[in-house]
Amino acid sequence: KGDNLKAYVDGPGGTGKTVLLNLITAKLRYKGKIVLCVASTAIAALNYEGGCTTHSMFKIPIEDLDNKSVCNVSNSSQRANLIWEAAVIIWDELPMTHKFIIEAVDRTLRDFKKKKKLFFWW
């Protein structure tokens, strides 16, 4: 089933990664699907229609971030519902993101679904 699909797109600058992701985004949105486009920096988020920073989307704590941090998104909030209704989450510049941020998002998303298996890794 498609909700278990994970993909990683990589390549040198100028090879069309952003173009590919924007095409995927446009196609899915045309079909009425929700696509969340986030990036580690605001500059990178501007490459996507409706893009925003990862910190903004997931409400990542800025101070005292450590290996036990979680995001400030309530399980019953509209934001949590938006995240779970999304057909795709595109996270640009993920490799440049500090591991505590990735882990905080992962812990939060697993908590939403009450799952122990890592959300982002396969």
Side-chain angles (χ1 to χ4, degrees):
K1 189 173 176 185
D3 58 343
N4 292 324
L5 178 65
K6 296 174 179 85
Y8 177 77
V9 178
D10 191 20
T15 57
K17 300 178 298 291
T18 302
V19 172
L20 171 66
L21 295 173
N22 276 319
L23 285 170
I24 292 169
T25 299
K27 176 84 171 187
L28 290 170
R29 287 179 176 163
Y30 176 78
K31 291 182 172 189
K33 304 286 185 185
I34 297 172
V35 179
L36 302 178
C37 299
V38 300
S40 301
T41 66
I43 296 294
L46 292 173
N47 289 320
Y48 303 96
E49 178 149 352
C52 66
T53 64
T54 310
H55 280 79
S56 175
M57 175 58 66
F58 296 110
K59 305 294 184 198
I60 298 167
I62 295 174
E63 294 183 23
D64 300 323
L65 185 69
D66 62 21
N67 64 347
K68 292 183 172 92
S69 296
V70 293
C71 301
N72 295 317
V73 179
S74 167
N75 200 358
S76 59
S77 68
Q78 287 181 335
R79 182 163 309 260
N81 289 334
L82 173 68
I83 292 167
W84 284 113
E85 290 295 320
V88 174
I89 299 173
I90 294 174
W91 188 338
D92 197 3
E93 298 183 338
L94 180 92
M96 297 182 347
T97 305
H98 193 282
K99 74 175 192 167
F100 289 167
I101 294 171
I102 298 168
E103 291 170 355
V105 173
D106 183 71
R107 269 190 290 285
T108 301
L109 296 178
R110 283 188 288 137
D111 183 55
F112 286 172
K113 288 290 189 180
K114 307 290 185 232
K115 294 194 176 198
K116 293 184 181 186
K117 183 178 176 187
L118 293 176
F119 185 82
F120 284 113
W121 316 115
W122 53 91

CSV table of all heavy atoms in Angstrom, one decimal, residues 1 26 74 84 96 101 121:
chain,number,residue,atom,x,y,z
A,1,LYS,N,0.8,-1.2,0.0
A,1,LYS,CA,0.0,0.0,0.0
A,1,LYS,C,0.9,1.2,0.0
A,1,LYS,O,1.9,1.3,0.6
A,1,LYS,CB,-0.9,0.0,1.2
A,1,LYS,CG,-2.0,1.0,1.2
A,1,LYS,CD,-2.9,0.8,2.4
A,1,LYS,CE,-3.9,2.0,2.4
A,1,LYS,NZ,-4.8,1.9,3.5
A,26,ALA,N,2.7,18.6,-7.8
A,26,ALA,CA,1.6,19.2,-8.7
A,26,ALA,C,0.6,18.0,-9.1
A,26,ALA,O,-0.6,18.2,-9.0
A,26,ALA,CB,2.2,19.8,-9.9
A,74,SER,N,0.2,18.8,19.3
A,74,SER,CA,-0.7,17.9,20.0
A,74,SER,C,-1.3,16.9,19.1
A,74,SER,O,-1.7,17.1,18.0
A,74,SER,CB,-1.8,18.8,20.6
A,74,SER,OG,-2.9,18.0,21.1
A,84,TRP,N,-1.3,13.9,9.2
A,84,TRP,CA,-1.7,12.5,8.9
A,84,TRP,C,-2.6,12.4,7.6
A,84,TRP,O,-2.7,11.3,7.1
A,84,TRP,CB,-2.4,11.9,10.1
A,84,TRP,CG,-1.3,11.5,11.0
A,84,TRP,CD1,-1.1,12.1,12.3
A,84,TRP,CD2,-0.2,10.6,10.8
A,84,TRP,NE1,0.1,11.5,12.8
A,84,TRP,CE2,0.6,10.6,11.9
A,84,TRP,CE3,0.1,9.8,9.8
A,84,TRP,CZ2,1.7,9.8,12.1
A,84,TRP,CZ3,1.3,9.0,9.9
A,84,TRP,CH2,2.1,9.0,11.0
A,96,MET,N,21.1,17.7,5.8
A,96,MET,CA,21.7,18.9,6.4
A,96,MET,C,21.1,19.2,7.8
A,96,MET,O,21.5,20.1,8.5
A,96,MET,CB,21.7,20.1,5.6
A,96,MET,CG,22.5,19.9,4.3
A,96,MET,SD,22.6,21.3,3.1
A,96,MET,CE,21.4,22.5,3.7
A,101,ILE,N,16.8,16.9,15.5
A,101,ILE,CA,15.5,17.4,14.8
A,101,ILE,C,14.8,16.2,14.2
A,101,ILE,O,13.6,16.1,14.3
A,101,ILE,CB,15.8,18.5,13.9
A,101,ILE,CG1,16.4,19.7,14.6
A,101,ILE,CG2,14.6,18.9,13.0
A,101,ILE,CD1,16.9,20.8,13.7
A,121,TRP,N,12.7,5.7,8.8
A,121,TRP,CA,13.7,4.7,8.3
A,121,TRP,C,13.1,3.4,7.9
A,121,TRP,O,12.2,3.0,8.5
A,121,TRP,CB,14.8,4.5,9.3
A,121,TRP,CG,15.2,5.9,9.9
A,121,TRP,CD1,15.0,6.2,11.2
A,121,TRP,CD2,15.8,7.0,9.2
A,121,TRP,NE1,15.5,7.5,11.4
A,121,TRP,CE2,15.9,8.0,10.2
A,121,TRP,CE3,16.2,7.2,7.9
A,121,TRP,CZ2,16.5,9.3,9.9
A,121,TRP,CZ3,16.7,8.5,7.6
A,121,TRP,CH2,16.9,9.5,8.6
